[in-house]
Amino acid sequence: MFKHLVAFAEFLLKINIMLCAEKVYTLADLKNWERREPSFAVLGKPIAHSLSPKMHNAAFSALRERKPQLADCRYFRFEIAPEELAGALPLFFEKNFHGLNLTIPHKVAALPVLKKLSPEAEIIGAANTLVRDDALGGWRGENTDGRGFARAAEMQLGATLTGTHIVLLGAGGAARAIAATALAQNCASLTVVNRSRERAETLIADLCAFFPKKKISFLSSCDIQNLTTEEPALIVNATSLGLKPADASPFPPELLCVGMAVYDTTYGSHTSALVAVARERDLPAADGRSMLAWQGALAFELWTCVPAADTSPLMLRELL
């Protein structure tokens, strides 16, 4: 009888965790929030597509016996509009949330509301992870995107950023984190390829302020055929091209050659055109699932002190 009760309790727990992973909450839900156990969440708009609750709740569940203090922790998904963010962050703190992830469009917009920024987040100019700081009475901003990318590239491609020539497609938030991390880890050079010269040059100017001696250059997407690279070279797609099955490769296939590796930060149920053509040519290639898992595991480590190396394999399995 006892075994049946335990099995039923575990079944109810799994149902509860699944509901946490699937439901989309709003600011109205937060205002009426009564859960006092430690809570975590991802904030964005839109947010229904986010896989973060699935992988974080899987980690909490897996650690339930080893780390009893995490047994009641749950991770939720909140759709918060840009105009709601400044008021929502103090409310999340008041409602006993212990950690938050930020996605589009909040990574930069949250900065004025935070009590403190890590040096990494300051260099990147964005925060994707917030850590509860009771001493400060608010949130501390961190950024795990760049380190997540570096770990993913090493694990999936065997590529280290140190001494590698990086060709970075895009100049948005993900590109900024990847660029800053590559420079901090002493990449051989960084070439930013983007349609908008103004946006790319703003990024390069910001990076040069922190890395004045590094070799950083700009190349327009229209002139990418003029790209010349030295080995070893890592092509990183940080644009949205690749999210849809019909998307063309953001990098000309004819330029892919021996000595290159490809990391595409997009991911989906399909294989992106960039990753597909790289694999056809027997070049190391990976999509963005591993980066998502590693940045999530690094955030989880900031919140719980559980090493990211312990949870990243579990999170990646959930994503796959």
Side-chain angles (χ1 to χ4, degrees), residues 176-192:
R176 182 175 285 268
I178 291 167
T181 300
L183 293 167
Q185 295 191 13
N186 294 312
C187 63
S189 67
L190 173 67
T191 302
V192 179

Side-chain angles (χ1 to χ4, degrees), residues 30-90:
L30 179 63
K31 290 176 179 177
N32 296 316
W33 199 259
E34 295 183 355
R35 189 176 194 273
R36 298 314 299 169
E37 296 83 4
S39 298
F40 301 80
V42 59
L43 281 54
K45 185 176 176 66
I47 201 62
H49 66 286
S50 175
L51 298 175
S52 292
K54 184 177 181 180
M55 64 182 191
H56 281 285
N57 281 322
F60 282 128
S61 181
L63 292 165
R64 191 169 63 247
E65 292 182 7
R66 196 175 105 201
K67 300 277 187 181
Q69 67 272 27
L70 302 180
D72 294 325
C73 294
R74 296 290 182 274
Y75 190 104
F76 303 89
R77 183 189 296 153
F78 277 81
E79 183 159 288
I80 302 294
E83 63 273 16
E84 297 173 332
L85 184 66
L89 289 180

Side-chain angles (χ1 to χ4, degrees), residues 172-208:
R176 182 175 285 268
I178 291 167
T181 300
L183 293 167
Q185 295 191 13
N186 294 312
C187 63
S189 67
L190 173 67
T191 302
V192 179
V193 181
N194 197 58
R195 287 178 300 178
S196 166
R197 172 180 287 273
E198 182 180 359
R199 190 173 190 185
E201 289 184 343
T202 298
L203 169 60
I204 291 171
D206 290 345
L207 293 170
C208 285

Side-chain angles (χ1 to χ4, degrees), residues 250-307:
F251 188 82
E254 63 272 18
L255 295 184
L256 288 172
C257 59
V258 176
M260 290 183 175
V262 166
Y263 195 93
D264 191 340
T265 63
T266 69
Y267 61 89
S269 57
H270 61 287
T271 300
S272 72
L274 176 57
V275 170
V277 73
R279 288 174 177 168
E280 285 173 8
R281 300 186 182 190
D282 293 324
L283 301 179
D287 69 16
R289 288 183 181 88
S290 53
M291 178 179 170
L292 178 62
W294 269 107
Q295 66 81 23
L298 289 163
F300 196 89
E301 181 177 319
L302 287 168
W303 299 328
T304 66
C305 296
V306 176

Side-chain angles (χ1 to χ4, degrees), residues 6-294:
V6 170
F8 184 65
E10 289 181 348
F11 171 75
L12 291 177
L13 179 60
K14 288 179 181 178
I15 293 296
N16 177 262
I17 291 173
M18 287 173 61
L19 289 174
C20 292
E22 294 300 324
K23 185 173 178 180
V24 176
Y25 294 87
T26 66
L27 181 59
D29 294 313
L30 179 63
K31 290 176 179 177
N32 296 316
W33 199 259
E34 295 183 355
R35 189 176 194 273
R36 298 314 299 169
E37 296 83 4
S39 298
F40 301 80
V42 59
L43 281 54
K45 185 176 176 66
I47 201 62
H49 66 286
S50 175
L51 298 175
S52 292
K54 184 177 181 180
M55 64 182 191
H56 281 285
N57 281 322
F60 282 128
S61 181
L63 292 165
R64 191 169 63 247
E65 292 182 7
R66 196 175 105 201
K67 300 277 187 181
Q69 67 272 27
L70 302 180
D72 294 325
C73 294
R74 296 290 182 274
Y75 190 104
F76 303 89
R77 183 189 296 153
F78 277 81
E79 183 159 288
I80 302 294
E83 63 273 16
E84 297 173 332
L85 184 66
L89 289 180
L91 193 53
F92 276 105
F93 189 87
E94 178 187 323
K95 297 291 186 176
N96 200 38
F97 280 75
H98 283 222
L100 301 173
N101 284 131
L102 303 177
T103 187
I104 295 172
H106 299 322
K107 292 185 182 184
V108 176
L111 299 187
V113 189
L114 305 181
K115 298 295 184 180
K116 187 178 180 181
L117 271 184
S118 70
E120 193 171 17
E122 188 175 356
I123 291 171
I124 294 169
N128 78 322
T129 300
L130 305 188
V131 181
R132 183 185 184 90
D133 193 320
D134 289 311
L136 294 175
W139 298 106
R140 185 177 81 245
E142 303 273 352
N143 198 305
T144 64
D145 281 336
R147 282 183 294 135
F149 162 74
R151 296 278 191 95
E154 185 175 0
M155 295 293 290
Q156 300 293 104
L157 305 176
T160 58
L161 302 183
T162 303
T164 297
H165 298 276
I166 308 293
V167 179
L168 180 60
L169 313 177
R176 182 175 285 268
I178 291 167
T181 300
L183 293 167
Q185 295 191 13
N186 294 312
C187 63
S189 67
L190 173 67
T191 302
V192 179
V193 181
N194 197 58
R195 287 178 300 178
S196 166
R197 172 180 287 273
E198 182 180 359
R199 190 173 190 185
E201 289 184 343
T202 298
L203 169 60
I204 291 171
D206 290 345
L207 293 170
C208 285
F210 288 98
F211 305 99
K213 297 182 180 180
K214 299 297 184 181
K215 185 179 177 182
I216 312 172
S217 58
F218 165 72
L219 187 63
S220 168
S221 301
C222 300
D223 298 326
I224 197 170
Q225 294 290 347
N226 299 325
L227 177 71
T228 57
T229 59
E230 303 174 55
E231 293 186 30
L234 176 58
I235 313 300
V236 183
N237 176 33
T239 75
S240 60
L241 273 176
L243 285 172
K244 299 176 183 177
D247 284 347
S249 171
F251 188 82
E254 63 272 18
L255 295 184
L256 288 172
C257 59
V258 176
M260 290 183 175
V262 166
Y263 195 93
D264 191 340
T265 63
T266 69
Y267 61 89
S269 57
H270 61 287
T271 300
S272 72
L274 176 57
V275 170
V277 73
R279 288 174 177 168
E280 285 173 8
R281 300 186 182 190
D282 293 324
L283 301 179
D287 69 16
R289 288 183 181 88
S290 53
M291 178 179 170
L292 178 62
W294 269 107

